[in-house]
Amino acid sequence: MNTIVANKFINSNQTLTHIAVVMDGNGRWAERRGYVRNQGHKIGVSSLKQLVKNCINERIQYLTVFAFSSENWTRTESEIVFLMTLFERTIRAELQGLAKQGIRLKFVGNNDSLPDSLVGAMREAEQTTESNNLLGLNICFNYGGKWDIVQGIKKLLENNPDVIKDYTKLTEQSFSQYLALADIPEPDLFIRTGGEQRLSNFLLWNLAYTELYFTDILWPDFDKGDLREAIDFYVGRKRKFGGTVDFRVGASEDENNDQLSNIL
Ligand code: IPE
Ligand code: IPE
Ligand code: MG
Protein backbone atom coordinates (compact mmCIF):
# COMPACT_ATOMS: atom_id res chain seq x y z
CA MET A 1 0.00 0.00 0.00
CA ASN A 2 1.19 3.52 -0.75
CA THR A 3 2.25 5.38 2.36
CA ILE A 4 2.54 9.05 3.16
CA VAL A 5 6.04 10.55 3.21
CA ALA A 6 6.19 14.16 4.37
CA ASN A 7 7.41 16.56 1.68
CA LYS A 8 11.14 16.93 1.82
CA PHE A 9 11.68 20.51 0.71
CA ILE A 10 10.42 22.07 3.91
CA ASN A 11 11.86 21.41 7.36
CA SER A 12 10.11 19.04 9.72
CA ASN A 13 8.55 21.78 11.86
CA GLN A 14 6.75 23.37 8.94
CA THR A 15 5.79 20.84 6.31
CA LEU A 16 3.19 21.68 3.73
CA THR A 17 0.50 19.16 4.58
CA HIS A 18 -2.76 20.61 3.30
CA ILE A 19 -3.54 22.87 0.32
CA ALA A 20 -6.99 24.42 -0.23
CA VAL A 21 -7.88 25.76 -3.68
CA VAL A 22 -10.61 28.02 -5.08
CA MET A 23 -10.60 26.94 -8.73
CA ASP A 24 -11.86 30.19 -10.26
CA GLY A 25 -11.82 31.62 -13.77
CA ASN A 26 -13.33 28.85 -15.94
CA GLY A 27 -15.99 31.12 -17.43
CA ARG A 28 -13.57 33.91 -18.34
CA TRP A 29 -11.11 31.40 -19.79
CA ALA A 30 -13.83 30.20 -22.19
CA GLU A 31 -15.25 33.65 -22.98
CA ARG A 32 -11.79 34.97 -23.92
CA ARG A 33 -11.55 32.22 -26.52
CA GLY A 34 -15.06 32.77 -27.87
CA TYR A 35 -16.35 29.52 -26.31
CA VAL A 36 -19.40 29.03 -24.12
CA ARG A 37 -18.67 29.18 -20.36
CA ASN A 38 -19.30 25.46 -19.92
CA GLN A 39 -16.30 24.68 -22.13
CA GLY A 40 -14.17 26.33 -19.44
CA HIS A 41 -15.65 24.03 -16.78
CA LYS A 42 -14.82 21.02 -18.92
CA ILE A 43 -11.17 22.04 -19.33
CA GLY A 44 -11.13 22.93 -15.62
CA VAL A 45 -11.58 19.22 -14.83
CA SER A 46 -8.31 18.42 -16.68
CA SER A 47 -6.58 21.11 -14.62
CA LEU A 48 -7.82 19.47 -11.43
CA LYS A 49 -6.58 16.05 -12.57
CA GLN A 50 -3.14 17.56 -13.17
CA LEU A 51 -3.19 19.29 -9.79
CA VAL A 52 -3.94 16.00 -8.04
CA LYS A 53 -0.93 14.35 -9.72
CA ASN A 54 1.31 17.30 -8.96
CA CYS A 55 0.23 17.34 -5.31
CA ILE A 56 1.15 13.66 -5.01
CA ASN A 57 4.57 14.44 -6.52
CA GLU A 58 5.00 17.28 -4.01
CA ARG A 59 4.07 14.90 -1.15
CA ILE A 60 1.03 16.93 -0.16
CA GLN A 61 -1.22 14.87 2.12
CA TYR A 62 -4.52 16.73 1.78
CA LEU A 63 -5.97 18.72 -1.08
CA THR A 64 -9.32 20.49 -0.63
CA VAL A 65 -10.93 22.08 -3.68
CA PHE A 66 -13.98 24.31 -4.11
CA ALA A 67 -16.03 22.90 -6.98
CA PHE A 68 -19.52 24.42 -6.42
CA SER A 69 -20.47 26.97 -3.80
CA SER A 70 -23.77 27.42 -1.96
CA GLU A 71 -24.02 30.73 -3.87
CA ASN A 72 -23.49 29.18 -7.31
CA TRP A 73 -27.23 28.31 -7.45
CA THR A 74 -27.73 31.91 -8.61
CA ARG A 75 -26.23 31.00 -12.03
CA THR A 76 -28.34 30.15 -15.08
CA GLU A 77 -30.21 26.87 -14.97
CA SER A 78 -28.30 25.54 -17.96
CA GLU A 79 -24.91 26.20 -16.30
CA ILE A 80 -26.08 24.56 -13.05
CA VAL A 81 -27.38 21.48 -14.87
CA PHE A 82 -24.13 21.29 -16.85
CA LEU A 83 -22.03 21.46 -13.67
CA MET A 84 -24.11 18.77 -11.91
CA THR A 85 -23.84 16.47 -14.94
CA LEU A 86 -20.13 17.14 -15.46
CA PHE A 87 -19.44 16.47 -11.79
CA GLU A 88 -21.27 13.15 -11.71
CA ARG A 89 -19.74 11.98 -15.02
CA THR A 90 -16.27 12.92 -13.85
CA ILE A 91 -16.63 11.03 -10.57
CA ARG A 92 -17.83 7.90 -12.37
CA ALA A 93 -15.18 8.14 -15.12
CA GLU A 94 -12.24 8.86 -12.81
CA LEU A 95 -13.06 6.69 -9.81
CA GLN A 96 -11.03 3.60 -10.67
CA GLY A 97 -8.00 5.67 -11.72
CA LEU A 98 -8.12 7.77 -8.56
CA ALA A 99 -8.52 4.65 -6.41
CA LYS A 100 -5.46 3.06 -8.06
CA GLN A 101 -3.41 6.20 -7.43
CA GLY A 102 -4.03 5.78 -3.67
CA ILE A 103 -6.41 8.73 -3.36
CA ARG A 104 -9.07 8.88 -0.62
CA LEU A 105 -12.08 10.90 -1.76
CA LYS A 106 -14.34 12.90 0.51
CA PHE A 107 -17.23 15.07 -0.64
CA VAL A 108 -18.07 17.99 1.54
CA GLY A 109 -21.25 20.07 1.38
CA ASN A 110 -25.01 20.09 1.68
CA ASN A 111 -26.40 17.10 -0.20
CA ASP A 112 -30.07 17.92 0.44
CA SER A 113 -30.66 19.71 -2.85
CA LEU A 114 -28.41 17.56 -5.06
CA PRO A 115 -29.69 14.95 -7.54
CA ASP A 116 -29.94 11.44 -5.98
CA SER A 117 -27.74 9.90 -8.67
CA LEU A 118 -24.98 12.43 -7.91
CA VAL A 119 -25.16 11.74 -4.17
CA GLY A 120 -25.03 8.01 -4.99
CA ALA A 121 -21.88 8.49 -7.10
CA MET A 122 -20.25 10.49 -4.30
CA ARG A 123 -21.02 7.84 -1.66
CA GLU A 124 -19.74 5.05 -3.91
CA ALA A 125 -16.52 6.96 -4.56
CA GLU A 126 -15.99 7.54 -0.82
CA GLN A 127 -16.58 3.87 0.00
CA THR A 128 -14.32 2.61 -2.81
CA THR A 129 -11.40 4.79 -1.72
CA GLU A 130 -11.86 4.84 2.07
CA SER A 131 -8.78 2.75 2.88
CA ASN A 132 -6.42 4.76 0.64
CA ASN A 133 -3.98 7.11 2.30
CA LEU A 134 -1.59 8.64 -0.22
CA LEU A 135 -3.60 11.83 -0.78
CA GLY A 136 -6.86 12.89 0.89
CA LEU A 137 -8.83 14.71 -1.82
CA ASN A 138 -11.74 16.72 -0.38
CA ILE A 139 -14.15 18.09 -2.94
CA CYS A 140 -16.41 20.87 -1.68
CA PHE A 141 -19.63 20.72 -3.65
CA ASN A 142 -22.66 22.77 -2.70
CA TYR A 143 -20.44 23.95 0.11
CA GLY A 144 -20.41 27.22 2.04
CA GLY A 145 -18.30 28.11 5.07
CA LYS A 146 -21.39 29.52 6.83
CA TRP A 147 -23.36 26.35 6.07
CA ASP A 148 -20.49 24.32 7.55
CA ILE A 149 -20.58 26.23 10.85
CA VAL A 150 -24.37 25.95 11.14
CA GLN A 151 -24.39 22.22 10.31
CA GLY A 152 -21.65 21.83 12.94
CA ILE A 153 -23.86 23.49 15.56
CA LYS A 154 -26.77 21.22 14.62
CA LYS A 155 -24.59 18.11 14.82
CA LEU A 156 -23.17 19.21 18.16
CA LEU A 157 -26.68 19.63 19.61
CA GLU A 158 -27.88 16.36 18.11
CA ASN A 159 -24.97 14.44 19.65
CA ASN A 160 -24.95 16.27 22.99
CA PRO A 161 -28.47 17.48 23.82
CA ASP A 162 -27.22 18.43 27.29
CA VAL A 163 -24.74 20.92 25.90
CA ILE A 164 -27.33 23.69 26.32
CA LYS A 165 -27.28 23.21 30.11
CA ASP A 166 -23.52 22.91 30.04
CA TYR A 167 -22.77 25.50 27.39
CA THR A 168 -20.03 27.23 29.37
CA LYS A 169 -17.86 24.13 28.85
CA LEU A 170 -18.00 24.47 25.07
CA THR A 171 -14.57 25.19 23.56
CA GLU A 172 -13.29 25.92 20.06
CA GLN A 173 -11.79 22.46 20.06
CA SER A 174 -14.90 20.60 21.20
CA PHE A 175 -17.03 22.45 18.66
CA SER A 176 -14.66 22.11 15.71
CA GLN A 177 -14.94 18.31 15.73
CA TYR A 178 -18.38 18.78 14.19
CA LEU A 179 -17.16 20.76 11.20
CA ALA A 180 -17.05 19.00 7.84
CA LEU A 181 -13.24 18.76 7.78
CA ALA A 182 -12.73 17.71 11.40
CA ASP A 183 -9.88 15.16 11.78
CA ILE A 184 -7.91 16.88 8.99
CA PRO A 185 -5.20 19.42 9.79
CA GLU A 186 -6.16 23.00 8.84
CA PRO A 187 -4.95 24.12 5.38
CA ASP A 188 -1.40 25.49 5.39
CA LEU A 189 -1.74 27.15 2.00
CA PHE A 190 -4.81 28.63 0.27
CA ILE A 191 -4.62 29.23 -3.48
CA ARG A 192 -7.21 31.20 -5.47
CA THR A 193 -6.88 31.47 -9.23
CA GLY A 194 -8.77 33.94 -11.44
CA GLY A 195 -7.57 37.21 -9.91
CA GLU A 196 -10.23 37.81 -7.26
CA GLN A 197 -8.93 38.32 -3.74
CA ARG A 198 -11.75 36.99 -1.59
CA LEU A 199 -12.80 33.77 0.13
CA SER A 200 -16.30 33.59 -1.44
CA ASN A 201 -17.60 31.68 1.61
CA PHE A 202 -14.99 28.89 1.37
CA LEU A 203 -13.62 27.27 4.57
CA LEU A 204 -14.26 30.23 6.91
CA TRP A 205 -13.31 28.52 10.17
CA ASN A 206 -10.45 26.41 8.79
CA LEU A 207 -8.61 29.25 7.04
CA ALA A 208 -8.08 31.26 10.23
CA TYR A 209 -4.27 30.90 10.05
CA THR A 210 -3.73 29.71 6.49
CA GLU A 211 -1.24 31.49 4.22
CA LEU A 212 -3.22 33.13 1.40
CA TYR A 213 -1.99 33.09 -2.21
CA PHE A 214 -3.83 34.77 -5.09
CA THR A 215 -2.92 34.49 -8.76
CA ASP A 216 -4.39 36.00 -11.94
CA ILE A 217 -3.93 32.68 -13.78
CA LEU A 218 -7.36 31.35 -14.81
CA TRP A 219 -8.11 27.87 -13.47
CA PRO A 220 -7.95 25.97 -16.81
CA ASP A 221 -4.40 27.35 -17.31
CA PHE A 222 -3.12 26.49 -13.81
CA ASP A 223 -0.24 24.03 -14.23
CA LYS A 224 2.70 22.41 -12.45
CA GLY A 225 4.81 25.59 -12.65
CA ASP A 226 2.00 27.65 -11.12
CA LEU A 227 1.70 25.17 -8.23
CA ARG A 228 5.48 25.46 -7.74
CA GLU A 229 5.17 29.26 -7.59
CA ALA A 230 2.47 28.97 -4.94
CA ILE A 231 4.62 26.54 -2.94
CA ASP A 232 7.65 28.85 -3.25
CA PHE A 233 5.47 31.67 -1.90
CA TYR A 234 4.54 29.46 1.06
CA VAL A 235 8.15 28.45 1.70
CA GLY A 236 9.06 32.15 1.99
CA ARG A 237 6.36 32.92 4.59
CA LYS A 238 7.00 33.53 8.26
CA ARG A 239 4.25 31.77 10.16
CA LYS A 240 3.84 33.27 13.62
CA PHE A 241 0.39 32.12 14.77
CA GLY A 242 0.06 35.24 16.87
CA GLY A 243 3.45 34.74 18.53
CA THR A 244 6.40 37.07 18.38
CA VAL A 245 9.15 34.74 17.13
CA ASP A 246 9.38 34.43 13.34
CA PHE A 247 9.75 30.91 12.05
CA ARG A 248 10.47 31.13 8.37
CA VAL A 249 8.82 28.12 6.75
CA GLY A 250 11.71 27.32 4.40
CA ALA A 251 14.46 27.87 7.00
CA SER A 252 16.38 24.94 8.47
CA GLU A 253 15.72 23.92 12.05
CA ASP A 254 19.21 25.19 13.01
CA GLU A 255 18.53 28.58 11.46
CA ASN A 256 15.29 28.94 13.38
CA ASN A 257 16.94 27.68 16.61
CA ASP A 258 19.83 30.17 16.14
CA GLN A 259 17.27 32.90 15.77
CA LEU A 260 15.60 31.72 18.96
CA SER A 261 18.85 31.60 20.97
CA ASN A 262 19.83 35.07 19.71
CA ILE A 263 16.60 36.33 21.11
CA LEU A 264 16.64 34.40 24.40
C1 IPE B 1 -15.17 28.66 -11.18
O1 IPE B 1 -15.14 29.35 -12.39
C2 IPE B 1 -15.99 27.39 -11.29
C3 IPE B 1 -17.25 27.43 -10.53
C4 IPE B 1 -17.66 28.39 -9.77
C5 IPE B 1 -18.10 26.28 -10.69
P1 IPE B 1 -16.22 30.46 -12.73
O2 IPE B 1 -17.37 29.79 -13.43
O3 IPE B 1 -16.61 31.24 -11.53
O4 IPE B 1 -15.42 31.35 -13.75
P2 IPE B 1 -15.46 32.93 -13.85
O5 IPE B 1 -15.10 33.48 -12.52
O6 IPE B 1 -16.85 33.32 -14.27
O7 IPE B 1 -14.44 33.25 -14.89
C1 IPE C 1 -16.00 30.56 -5.96
O1 IPE C 1 -15.99 31.16 -7.20
C2 IPE C 1 -16.65 29.22 -6.01
C3 IPE C 1 -15.94 28.17 -6.75
C4 IPE C 1 -14.77 28.28 -7.33
C5 IPE C 1 -16.60 26.90 -6.78
P1 IPE C 1 -17.13 32.16 -7.66
O2 IPE C 1 -16.79 32.59 -9.04
O3 IPE C 1 -18.47 31.56 -7.47
O4 IPE C 1 -16.98 33.35 -6.62
P2 IPE C 1 -17.36 34.89 -6.76
O5 IPE C 1 -18.76 34.96 -7.31
O6 IPE C 1 -16.36 35.51 -7.67
O7 IPE C 1 -17.24 35.43 -5.37
MG1 MG D 1 -15.81 32.91 -10.71
Side-chain angles (χ1 to χ4, degrees):
M1 188 194 288
N2 293 317
T3 50
I4 300 166
V5 184
N7 37 24
K8 51 191 180 300
F9 51 86
I10 296 169
N11 80 43
S12 56
N13 283 338
Q14 299 281 10
T15 53
L16 175 48
T17 303
H18 184 177
I19 298 182
V21 184
V22 175
M23 310 183 288
D24 194 24
N26 293 348
R28 278 164 288 164
W29 183 92
E31 279 158 8
R32 280 177 201 176
R33 284 164 179 76
Y35 304 148
V36 290
R37 291 176 54 83
N38 289 342
Q39 187 64 19
H41 295 315
K42 210 171 142 190
I43 306 298
V45 172
S46 311
S47 246
L48 176 56
K49 282 167 66 177
Q50 285 308 313
L51 177 67
V52 167
K53 284 202 182 107
N54 294 329
C55 281
I56 291 173
N57 290 338
E58 297 282 6
R59 309 253 194 277
I60 305 301
Q61 290 169 30
Y62 301 97
L63 172 65
T64 301
V65 295
F66 207 3
F68 190 89
S69 80
S70 45
E71 286 71 36
N72 287 148
W73 293 103
T74 54
R75 297 192 176 201
T76 62
E77 199 188 334
S78 67
E79 184 166 341
I80 293 169
V81 170
F82 183 87
L83 286 167
M84 297 290 153
T85 311
L86 178 69
F87 194 52
E88 184 176 338
R89 274 196 200 151
T90 304
I91 296 169
R92 294 195 190 279
E94 301 297 328
L95 179 56
Q96 291 314 321
L98 292 170
K100 271 196 207 127
Q101 283 181 75
I103 291 159
R104 187 178 58 261
L105 277 159
K106 183 177 166 76
F107 296 92
V108 183
N110 183 359
N111 289 340
D112 293 349
S113 36
L114 299 181
D116 288 346
S117 59
L118 172 55
V119 176
M122 296 193 310
R123 292 293 86 87
E124 188 191 331
E126 287 180 337
Q127 282 160 11
T128 309
T129 61
E130 68 189 349
S131 54
N132 285 345
N133 69 355
L134 187 65
L135 174 77
L137 174 58
N138 307 308
I139 301 187
C140 297
F141 197 86
N142 196 18
Y143 176 88
K146 291 183 180 177
W147 164 84
D148 195 356
I149 293 168
V150 172
Q151 72 76 34
I153 294 169
K154 288 182 189 163
K155 227 190 266 174
L156 169 82
L157 292 171
E158 203 178 298
N159 285 278
N160 313 275
D162 289 342
V163 82
I164 303 270
K165 281 187 250 151
D166 244 357
Y167 71 91
T168 53
K169 292 200 184 118
L170 188 63
T171 63
E172 289 174 14
Q173 223 173 358
S174 62
F175 166 67
S176 63
Q177 25 171 318
Y178 296 98
L179 292 169
L181 291 184
D183 305 332
I184 295 175
E186 305 293 34
D188 302 295
L189 172 64
F190 163 97
I191 299 172
R192 179 169 184 147
T193 61
E196 307 296 353
Q197 304 203 354
R198 54 182 171 244
L199 300 182
S200 299
N201 198 15
F202 196 28
L203 306 161
L204 298 180
W205 178 286
N206 317 64
L207 294 174
Y209 256 107
T210 302
E211 300 297 327
L212 306 179
Y213 179 80
F214 299 94
T215 172
D216 288 337
I217 304 280
L218 302 174
W219 178 249
D221 290 329
F222 190 85
D223 64 14
K224 194 173 164 183
D226 300 314
L227 175 65
R228 243 297 118 197
E229 268 182 42
I231 291 175
D232 287 345
F233 160 86
Y234 175 77
V235 171
R237 291 298 91 200
K238 289 177 179 174
R239 302 193 80 182
K240 299 199 290 184
F241 298 100
T244 50
V245 177
D246 296 346
F247 281 94
R248 194 166 64 78
V249 176
S252 69
E253 218 160 319
D254 283 352
E255 204 182 313
N256 278 328
N257 285 340
D258 282 353
Q259 201 192 351
L260 242 187
S261 49
N262 284 342
I263 294 163
L264 291 174

